[in-house]
Amino acid sequence: MLETSARLLRLLSLFQTRREWSGADLAERLGVTPRTVRRDVGRLRELGYPVHAGPGTGGGYRLGAGAELPPLLLDDEEAVAVAVGLRAAAGQGVEGIGESSVRALAKLEQVLPGRLRRRIGALNDFTVPLLRTPRERVDPTVLTELAHACRDGERLRFDYRDHGGAATRRSVEPHRLVCAERRWYLVAWDLGREDWRTFRADRIEPVPPHGPRFPPREPPAEDLAAYVAKGVSRGAYAREATVRLFVPFAEAAAAVGPLDGVLEADGDTACLLRTGAHDLDVMVFHVAFLGFDFEVVEPQELTERVRVLRDRLSRALDRAGRTDGEDREDREGREGREGREGFGTAPEHRPRTGTAGRPEGVNTV
């Protein structure tokens, strides 16, 4: 059995993982009796933590709003990971998070043992972040509000702007937040459309109050990251295409980001890329600039756009070749004329002669 102080810390950490716990569940997790759980809850209340209890046999315990921040117990690797994460947080597309990250990092370093402070100091001194700042940033209060709704299983209402700027009011059952390349996405069941949807968090304006609570649904996919990548790289666009890249999957994956499309191995030396765009001409450039040989699998219209671009580039090269040839002929012609006119009648082109009528610098035998 844990000592009382350690058990209180464990109890606080459990309250952070779920909105509500039954006394029996807490007793099982802590390895104590329900009576001991009630005493520990009373001790937390004496320390200033507002732990609320529901009435009746079905009631449970939950940590109320306004609670003191519970202490964290981190091992060495977790402490270093938190410090590195705080340092990188400024580039993750959350408005105003940089300053907060610096303050939190300063507090963490203040209580770190010397061995860990040196490790984190080396990271700070000898690494230089090169992070692209996204144009659209999400308000951190919106992000935390969405995260709380996901955790607590509460219905969420918000105003949403789509990629065309049209505004709609949505009512959803939120499931998870997914971060992909400095953007945050909310995966939720849309009650109005009766289907799963992916929403960009920077386009969400919550409309409280939220609720009621709802029972969890089966998620749309086991791998939510792949699900979001497929939705934002293909489903959000008017045109979709599949191309075969003649390069091994691992090499293509290093160049194709989750928002560029979905990759699938096609043997050992090739892979399929399923992607989307608002316009086929844009898609041609998108695929060409990946830097790999490719062929279009579908649609046939994309093959025609590739052919049009090929012909246009060929004509540009032909014109460049003719221009280079004409410039070369012009240069050769000018040089030839200047050579022939070297002994012309113009005084400035006539060689200077000495007193004997010979050109200066010319010796006779």
Side-chain angles (χ1 to χ4, degrees), residues 55-109:
T57 57
Y61 296 101
R62 63 184 179 89
L63 192 61
E68 297 288 340
L69 181 66
L72 295 176
L73 300 177
L74 304 176
D75 61 27
D76 287 3
E77 299 304 323
E78 289 172 339
V80 172
V82 170
V84 173
L86 288 172
R87 191 168 187 267
Q92 293 304 313
V94 182
E95 182 67 39
I97 207 69
E99 183 180 350
S100 301
S101 300
V102 171
R103 292 199 306 269
L105 183 58
K107 292 178 181 179
L108 178 62
E109 291 182 341

Side-chain angles (χ1 to χ4, degrees), residues 135-294:
R135 292 188 300 272
E136 307 87 359
R137 294 192 172 209
V138 57
D139 188 329
T141 58
V142 171
L143 202 60
T144 54
E145 190 170 351
L146 299 180
H148 289 160
C150 292
R151 182 198 65 185
D152 299 339
E154 291 184 337
R155 287 186 179 179
L156 186 67
R157 285 171 291 276
F158 56 82
D159 292 329
Y160 187 72
R161 295 176 294 102
D162 63 18
H163 63 274
T168 56
R169 174 67 58 86
R170 302 295 182 98
S171 181
V172 304
E173 295 177 354
H175 178 64
R176 288 292 187 276
L177 282 169
V178 177
C179 183
E181 294 193 348
R182 296 166 300 279
R183 278 184 178 155
W184 289 88
Y185 297 89
L186 173 68
V187 178
W189 176 267
D190 192 318
L191 294 168
R193 289 153 179 79
E194 297 185 343
D195 198 3
W196 289 98
R197 290 290 188 270
T198 301
F199 304 94
R200 268 180 46 178
D202 58 285
R203 295 174 177 170
I204 290 177
E205 294 183 14
V207 182
H210 305 308
R213 299 182 67 181
F214 61 89
R217 295 178 181 269
E218 185 72 21
E222 184 175 346
D223 187 349
L224 282 179
Y227 172 80
V228 171
K230 178 181 178 181
V232 300
S233 64
R234 298 177 58 197
Y237 297 106
R239 308 304 302 268
E240 297 183 12
T242 302
V243 298
R244 179 174 288 106
L245 305 179
F246 293 102
V247 64
F249 176 86
E251 187 174 345
V256 178
L259 303 186
D260 295 326
V262 178
L263 283 172
E264 177 187 335
D266 186 30
D268 296 333
T269 59
C271 57
L272 296 175
L273 171 64
R274 293 179 172 85
T275 186
H278 293 298
D279 182 84
L280 288 179
D281 289 329
V282 173
M283 193 180 296
V284 170
F285 283 100
H286 167 62
V287 175
F289 286 161
L290 291 176
F292 305 128
D293 289 345
F294 69 93

